[in-house]
Amino acid sequence: MARTESNMLPLGTKAPEFNLIDTKDDQVKSLEKLKGTTGTLVMFICNHCPFVVHVSAEISQLAKDYISKGIKCIAISSNDVENYPQDAPHLMKQNAIDNDYIFPYLYDQTQDVAKAYDAACTPDFFLFDDNLKLVYAGQLDDSRPGNGIPVTGKDLRVAMDALVDNKPVSKDQKPSMGCNIKWR
């Protein structure tokens, strides 16, 4: 597994709009329709990446913990499914069921959305405020497959709590790390 760090999109960046198929219900969904009242977490993930598999239970729990606080979560897979068939949309749907994802799991077939967000790895996290301005781009926590550190979601949870409490989100943010997005 290649270790790739996120590109750290500049804070304050406006979330790029999108219209993508939600593999859970085969309906087209837009950022405008999915955004939260307090904030929106856009996560670039996939089915097969060991880094995502390592944190999938935590991102599922995160969504459950923050939806009632006005933060909506959105997952997007942008991987090339021709060369990585395990990330195909029908398998994304099954993965969402298996991991109890309560959030949309969108398929970015053209990879244009990943490019617009300057996403580089899976998982890659982008937290936006109620105006869809980026307030956090970084890691979930310090846990990685095999490093023995428990998955807690600490870094992202601190940022989400600050957003919920209407406090500034710390600008001290560590990049996420994972497998590179599988570009065509």
Side-chain angles (χ1 to χ4, degrees), residues 43-45 49-62 99 101 103 122-125 139-145 149-153 176-177:
M43 306 174 282
F44 286 86
I45 66 171
C49 169
F51 291 89
V52 175
V53 171
H54 181 69
V55 301
S56 61
E58 176 59 20
I59 61 176
S60 178
Q61 189 59 51
L62 235 141
N99 286 292
Y101 290 165
F103 45 81
T122 55
D124 213 347
F125 300 98
Q139 68 177 9
L140 181 69
D141 58 30
D142 289 320
S143 184
R144 305 288 184 268
I149 298 172
V151 178
T152 62
S176 188
M177 181 181 291

Side-chain angles (χ1 to χ4, degrees), residues 33-154:
K33 295 288 184 197
L34 295 175
K35 69 181 182 178
T37 55
T38 302
T40 305
L41 176 64
V42 177
M43 306 174 282
F44 286 86
I45 66 171
C46 69
N47 294 343
H48 83 278
C49 169
F51 291 89
V52 175
V53 171
H54 181 69
V55 301
S56 61
E58 176 59 20
I59 61 176
S60 178
Q61 189 59 51
L62 235 141
K64 293 169 188 163
D65 292 346
Y66 286 89
I67 193 167
S68 65
K69 298 175 183 180
I71 297 180
K72 296 271 185 82
C73 297
I74 303 163
I76 300 172
S77 179
S78 301
N79 279 356
D80 171 14
V81 299
E82 190 172 310
N83 291 307
Y84 297 87
Q86 61 271 49
D87 290 327
H90 71 283
L91 297 174
M92 291 170 59
K93 180 177 186 169
Q94 187 59 52
N95 189 37
I97 293 166
D98 293 346
N99 286 292
D100 197 25
Y101 290 165
I102 64 167
F103 45 81
Y105 193 7
L106 311 176
Y107 177 46
D108 178 20
Q109 181 177 6
T110 65
Q111 300 182 320
D112 290 343
V113 177
K115 290 173 186 168
Y117 279 78
D118 201 18
C121 59
T122 55
D124 213 347
F125 300 98
F126 301 88
L127 179 63
F128 298 91
D129 66 14
D130 59 337
N131 294 311
L132 293 175
K133 297 287 187 181
L134 186 67
V135 295
Y136 183 83
Q139 68 177 9
L140 181 69
D141 58 30
D142 289 320
S143 184
R144 305 288 184 268
N147 75 358
I149 298 172
V151 178
T152 62
K154 180 179 85 64

Side-chain angles (χ1 to χ4, degrees), residues 163-176:
L163 198 56
V164 167
D165 294 338
N166 204 26
K167 294 182 179 172
V169 175
S170 172
K171 292 183 182 353
D172 183 24
Q173 302 174 9
K174 294 181 190 174
S176 188

